[in-house]
Amino acid sequence: MKDNKKIWLASPHMGGDELRFVKETFDTNWIAPIGPHINTFEEQLSKISNGYKVAALSSGTASIHLALILAGVKANDDVICSTFTFSASANPIKYLGANPVFIDSESLSWNMCPELLEKSIVEGIEKNKKPKAIILVHLYGMPAKMDVIMEISNQYDIPLIEDAAEALGSTYKNQPLGTFGKFGVYSFNGNKIITTSAGGALLCKDKSLIKKAKFFATQSRDNAPHYEHSEIGYNYRMSNVCAAIGLGQLEVLSDRVRRKREIYNFYKTELSGIKEITFLYESIGSFSNYWLTTILLDKNSTIDREQLRLHLEKDNIESRPLWNPMHLQPVFKNCKAYVNGVSGDLFNRGLCLPSGTNISNKDLKRVVNKIKELYEA
Ligand SMILES: *Cc1c(COP(=O)(O)O)cnc(C)c1O
């Protein structure tokens, strides 16, 4: 029988201790969005996040939403956002009735282009519409050009929100991503490097802002014995059961990063003979968790991205085009955008390869052989 069982792009990968922690939540009956595992999860995350304080929340999206609120974003404000990302980076801008201003990528890290960022700020200020915040994404775990981006954020005094949903475990000059900006955001969705089934975290150096985030996340209950509210609240807290899964997952985070990097190196070595395929790589100071291994097909290649994707799909191998930039999405078509063509080109030519840390070496070899088959035909 032909062995072509499904190879997923990335699927949840439990470490082993998760069930033990979940059982504790049952034994103690903390089956609620409050409980000791949430507190421990936050403390442990804080320890590996440069001492930034942490609020464990229901999703990465919720974390971005609260970061924007805490940054003081209001209706009709302009908020700068990487265009090359998943829609969850930008949607919370719209939740607040604010206007996204999308910034294209530079071709080295594929993340926000600092020149276009500065241009958009200068033009905003000229029009008396200084942007209120910057949402910077570290896509696929690769650090953005942090030195120059932080310089711009500081120079113009605009708070930076780091969407590090895909970048837990990555560093820039040995500093964890998510701990450069005023706010950092992680996601623990099922496909991320570690998962709590669903979940996210908001990070901030300022303890009082994290306290405020937890207040907003639990329906903004004022300090009164009855239910008193002077602000609009949200139901955004992480469940104690999810946090229990997270405790097990944190134990294996460094193993997961090691394996992701092994997978990247395997593809890179094995496919080095195919000149039409190139890889995203780390520049000096960058350390990527290589959440997903991504390849780019040559502009003049006779095989295009869809041909390769469908070729793999025929053998039950899941691969996926790179993110379709926000300025090309129907829902954001009327938004302001500073475009240089880089992200649109990456979308056309790029593919994410199966990168789940639970993939076997045999399955990795199967993916590689299938790709080679197409190019050697
Ligand atoms: C996954 C992801 C999010 C959203 O996180 P959720 O936990 O799924 O809400 C935001 N931004 C990026 C770049 C992501 O990949």
Side-chain angles (χ1 to χ4, degrees), residues 35-178:
H37 291 81
I38 301 176
N39 304 339
T40 311
F41 184 61
E42 288 173 342
E43 281 161 24
Q44 292 193 2
L45 254 186
S46 176
K47 247 181 234 159
I48 59 166
S49 304
N50 220 6
Y52 266 49
K53 301 289 177 265
V54 176
L57 301 175
S58 55
S59 70
T61 312
S63 309
I64 296 171
H65 190 188
L66 291 189
L68 289 170
I69 292 171
L70 292 166
V73 172
K74 300 270 183 340
N76 293 319
D77 283 341
D78 279 358
V79 174
I80 290 171
C81 184
S82 303
T83 192
F84 194 41
T85 187
F86 175 47
S87 65
S89 305
N91 282 334
I93 303 171
K94 284 292 196 179
Y95 299 167
L96 292 167
N99 313 309
V101 177
F102 292 115
I103 307 291
D104 215 328
S105 302
E106 35 87 3
S107 49
L108 202 63
S109 79
W110 298 1
N111 292 310
M112 188 183 279
C113 167
E115 284 81 31
L116 290 182
L117 168 65
E118 184 160 27
K119 185 165 186 255
S120 72
I121 295 171
V122 169
E123 289 188 9
I125 291 171
E126 276 169 11
K127 288 184 196 130
N128 241 334
K129 198 132 173 84
K130 182 175 156 181
K132 279 289 167 66
I134 302 164
I135 300 175
L136 169 81
V137 185
H138 303 288
L139 219 55
Y140 304 115
M142 184 60 73
K145 290 186 171 175
M146 287 320 288
D147 286 338
V148 48
I149 297 227
M150 284 317 297
E151 213 176 285
I152 294 169
S153 162
N154 290 331
Q155 184 191 340
Y156 293 94
D157 195 25
I158 302 174
L160 188 83
I161 298 164
E162 276 181 273
D163 179 349
E166 302 177 0
L168 179 62
S170 300
T171 62
Y172 182 75
K173 295 188 176 169
N174 293 319
Q175 186 177 333
L177 298 187

Side-chain angles (χ1 to χ4, degrees), residues 176-331:
L177 298 187
T179 70
F180 284 82
K182 177 150 190 187
F183 299 100
V185 168
Y186 295 136
S187 166
F188 308 108
N189 207 318
N191 58 352
K192 298 302 199 289
I193 188 156
I194 60 169
T195 179
T196 59
S197 71
L202 177 66
L203 289 84
C204 183
K205 213 183 289 183
D206 186 337
K207 208 171 156 178
S208 66
L209 288 179
I210 287 301
K211 197 171 164 212
K212 188 87 197 199
K214 292 177 186 175
F215 169 79
F216 284 137
T218 49
Q219 309 285 21
S220 298
R221 275 186 71 182
D222 292 344
N223 193 10
H226 58 281
Y227 281 79
E228 179 99 354
H229 305 274
S230 8
E231 290 184 82
I232 293 296
Y234 303 85
N235 184 4
Y236 276 176
R237 203 65 167 122
M238 179 181 278
S239 154
N240 196 55
V241 181
C242 294
I245 300 173
L247 287 180
Q249 288 275 277
L250 276 180
E251 289 179 348
V252 293
L253 174 60
S254 54
D255 294 340
R256 297 294 178 265
V257 174
R258 198 176 316 125
R259 180 61 177 156
K260 289 279 190 192
R261 292 177 62 85
E262 218 171 72
I263 291 166
Y264 167 85
N265 283 312
F266 180 84
Y267 281 129
K268 200 171 174 188
T269 307
E270 289 288 320
L271 297 173
S272 61
I274 304 175
K275 293 289 163 261
E276 290 102 288
I277 293 180
T278 54
F279 286 78
L280 177 63
Y281 58 88
E282 297 166 326
S283 42
I284 295 166
S286 292
F287 177 89
S288 175
N289 69 9
Y290 284 116
W291 172 55
L292 295 179
T293 293
T294 54
I295 57 171
L296 265 194
L297 306 188
D298 197 80
K299 278 194 179 81
N300 306 314
S301 171
T302 48
I303 294 158
D304 70 18
R305 179 255 284 159
E306 269 314 274
Q307 257 172 295
L308 177 54
R309 193 185 67 78
L310 292 170
H311 177 74
L312 291 171
E313 191 177 86
K314 258 190 290 177
D315 199 39
N316 218 7
I317 298 169
E318 184 185 31
S319 64
R320 195 175 295 162
L322 301 186
W323 297 119
N324 188 8
M326 293 307 108
H327 71 274
L328 299 176
Q329 299 286 354
V331 71

